[in-house]
Structures are given as structure tokens and as C-alpha cells.
Amino acid sequence: MSATVTDEQIRALAATAKPYSLAFLRWGPERTMDGADAIELEHQRRTVSLRAEGVIAILCPVASDTVAGVAIMTVSTEEAAAIMAADPCVRAGMMRCEVHPCHGFPGDALPA
């Protein structure tokens, strides 16, 4: 760590925090069921659409045998949970989703 951060800087940043929802997707027992590829394509189409609409601010698929992905969502945890419960992969048992409240700082972004 080379940057020095003051208490005032921490307080100023904390004052800008906004609530978001974190959707954490894990692979479920039906991951390899018949028709899984088509269902996963619909899941991808839906999540990219939610991203384009601004409902998902950050979308991070995960290359793992257990974790499917993470999404930072701009809606309440209740709305995020309802949106994710309607996901094709979640409905099919291919994925399980946990939604947690979190905070982030507007303007933060993944590097290009």
C-alpha cells in the first residue's frame, strides 16, 4: 500500500455510499440436466437485458465448478430476490441464488 488515506477521506467516501443488492449465484444440482444449454442461454439473455436496463450495474460470470456468478443490482433486496427467483436457471434448479444488501460508491467501475 503506497497511498496514505486520512480519516477525513474515509468519512467523505462513506458519506457517498448508496445501497445496492448483491446477487450470488451458485451452480445447483440440475446444472447438467437435459436442455441445460438452452436454459442457460435464456439466463444469459435475461441477465444481459437486465444489465442494459440498469437493473444490474455490474455483471460478473465466474469460471468455477461451484460459483456461477455475481451481480450488483440497483434495486432493493426484495426486488432483486424476486427478479432472480424468476431466472430460468434458478427456476430449473441449475442455479441457486442468494441476495444480500450491500453498499457501494457511485462512480466505481471495473477497469476497461
Side-chain angles (χ1 to χ4, degrees):
M1 250 178 27
S2 60
T4 301
V5 178
T6 67
D7 293 349
E8 292 77 24
Q9 288 171 307
I10 293 169
R11 283 191 286 278
L13 181 61
T16 69
K18 301 286 184 209
Y20 296 94
S21 297
L22 178 127
F24 187 77
L25 289 161
R26 293 184 184 273
W27 289 112
E30 300 298 326
R31 180 180 182 184
T32 58
M33 65 186 278
D34 287 341
D37 289 344
I39 295 169
E40 189 171 349
L41 184 59
E42 284 307 307
H43 156 80
Q44 292 167 350
R45 188 178 327 281
R46 187 171 184 272
T47 55
V48 171
S49 176
L50 290 167
R51 181 179 173 266
E53 294 168 4
V55 174
I56 294 177
I58 296 178
L59 179 59
C60 295
V62 176
S64 166
D65 289 335
T66 57
V67 178
V70 176
I72 303 295
M73 302 178 75
T74 60
V75 296
S76 70
T77 54
E78 294 80 13
E79 189 174 351
I83 288 168
M84 296 312 296
D87 180 89
C89 281
V90 173
R91 285 193 347 253
M94 292 173 57
M95 293 179 185
R96 292 171 292 164
C97 184
E98 299 173 15
V99 176
H100 302 277
C102 65
H103 286 82
F105 307 104
D108 279 2
L110 297 171

